[in-house]
Amino acid sequence: MSELTNASLIATSLAEVKATVARSVVQANRDPDSVQLLAVSKRKPLAAIAAAWKAGQRAFGENYPDEAVEKIQAWQAVHPDRDAQWHYIGAIQSRKAAVIATHFDWVHSVDRLKVAKKLALHRPERRPPLSVCIQVNLDNEVNKSGVAYTEAGELADAITQLPQLQLRGLMSIPAPRENLAEQRAVFRRLSDLLEQLKADHPQVDTLSMGMSADLEAAISEGATIVRVGTAIFGSRDS
Ligand SMILES: *Cc1c(COP(=O)(O)O)cnc(C)c1O
């Protein structure tokens, strides 16, 4: 049984993930409110989102624009009184920038200026600036999304010239590591980069790092948003 669509299973899993986050925050001597849990609901039905919402979850992460917009619109139609925050965390094709800018509150995966400009161009005027993070390719993996470590500063400078976007910080999806020490070492590099960025952009406050398998290491190294799918909603294989 790989699908955890059952509402009570989702509530139980969510509580377990929150407990893990809380434990890691205490171990790291950090403020309990300094880490936000993003529930990654890609390829999960609206019923799964509703189950997590009922259990207190408000922020949801999605990867695929067409699927996500369909779900966001359905959510707003079915539950107009239930506030939820939508975070886009997937790769961005520039032809999808308009729908992403229209329907999301946050975008974690900005990795080139062309996309940043398109998001800015299409951000509806009635909405507040889109919160964005720059995705960094920490392992220099070819064919992986993310700006090179050494180019993040330049992209940050350019993004802050776009009033429709609000630069919030950095995001990364490092390749899996063998052990906690190695996980921490790679997250520390992103944390160091955020500190460097703060010299020119003191408003940045977000480190989006850590998923189901490595959220403890990420919190130890300063993550302010952990993006967790499988540990809340179950496996996506089917
Ligand atoms: C799918 C995904 C996640 C969640 O991964 P899990 O291992 O299921 O927790 C987090 N971040 C991004 C960018 C993803 O694509």
Side-chain angles (χ1 to χ4, degrees), residues 91-98 100-101 107 109-122 130 155 159 162 165:
I92 308 175
Q93 293 175 290
S94 66
R95 67 191 170 83
K96 294 291 181 185
I100 293 168
V107 175
S109 42
V110 176
D111 65 355
R112 52 199 196 279
L113 184 56
K114 183 184 172 191
V115 158
K117 284 182 170 164
K118 283 211 161 185
L119 291 171
L121 179 69
H122 293 285
L130 184 65
L155 182 54
I159 287 173
L162 302 167
L165 304 186

Side-chain angles (χ1 to χ4, degrees), residues 30 34-36 207-210 215 218-226:
R30 297 182 51 197
S34 62
V35 181
Q36 185 190 12
L207 266 182
S208 169
M209 60 186 195
L215 70 98
I219 290 172
S220 302
E221 297 300 337
T224 66
I225 299 181
V226 289

Side-chain angles (χ1 to χ4, degrees), residues 101-177:
T102 302
H103 294 282
F104 283 87
D105 302 292
W106 279 67
V107 175
H108 292 228
S109 42
V110 176
D111 65 355
R112 52 199 196 279
L113 184 56
K114 183 184 172 191
V115 158
K117 284 182 170 164
K118 283 211 161 185
L119 291 171
L121 179 69
H122 293 285
R123 182 63 171 171
E125 265 179 40
R126 64 187 156 77
R127 301 206 57 192
L130 184 65
S131 285
V132 300
C133 292
I134 293 173
Q135 182 173 352
V136 181
N137 183 349
L138 286 174
D139 296 306
N140 294 316
E141 293 173 287
V142 260
N143 299 327
K144 280 282 172 70
S145 304
V147 71
Y149 197 86
T150 50
E151 285 161 20
E154 197 177 320
L155 182 54
D157 295 344
I159 287 173
T160 54
Q161 302 302 309
L162 302 167
Q164 300 85 355
L165 304 186
Q166 185 183 359
L167 180 65
R168 299 300 297 268
L170 301 173
M171 178 272 225
S172 190
I173 317 169
R177 297 299 200 272

